[in-house]
Amino acid sequence: MTWAIIKMPHPLDAVWDRANEELGDACELTVGRDDAITAATMTIMALPARNLADSIQKLDVAGIDRENPRADCDLQAIMNEACDLIDTAVARGLRLYPNQIKEA
């Protein structure tokens, strides 16, 4: 069975785009860089994830791949949000295709 994923516009797309631009700009600064990065990071953390890509981005911004992730980012909350997104997607799939998805 083949599945097609159609990207639908989301009301927060522009806000996410702006937050990502601010983070990119903050990383290029030389003066006030840490404050700007913290502000941009907290903006991204405050936004609700629209999809798993957003959750992965939050984990990346939080520094999950570094030895010392940011202390001001709750990695468990990000993971819980990602799990909620997966649960919602599965529930929608079960509603849309009840005869094609078999529960374990």
Side-chain angles (χ1 to χ4, degrees):
M1 179 179 312
T2 303
W3 297 94
I5 297 174
I6 301 170
K7 177 113 169 82
M8 303 294 292
H10 192 281
L12 290 175
D13 287 347
V15 179
W16 268 96
D17 291 343
R18 181 68 182 139
N20 287 322
E21 287 174 15
E22 287 182 14
L23 183 60
D25 292 346
C27 289
E28 294 175 6
L29 291 176
T30 53
V31 176
R33 181 176 191 259
D34 291 339
D35 291 339
I37 289 175
T38 297
T41 298
M42 292 302 102
T43 300
I44 289 172
M45 291 301 147
L47 290 171
R50 302 162 294 177
N51 50 45
L52 283 179
D54 289 345
S55 295
I56 292 169
Q57 181 178 4
K58 283 184 175 189
L59 289 169
D60 184 46
V61 169
I64 195 168
D65 61 338
R66 293 187 294 252
E67 186 174 321
N68 296 318
R70 293 182 62 104
D72 54 0
C73 297
D74 186 354
L75 297 178
Q76 187 61 51
I78 298 168
M79 292 301 297
N80 289 343
E81 183 180 36
C83 290
D84 289 345
L85 287 168
I86 292 170
D87 290 343
T88 300
V90 169
R92 286 181 184 164
L94 287 171
R95 281 196 319 267
L96 291 172
Y97 305 100
N99 298 327
Q100 295 178 7
I101 298 175
K102 297 178 182 173
E103 294 187 36

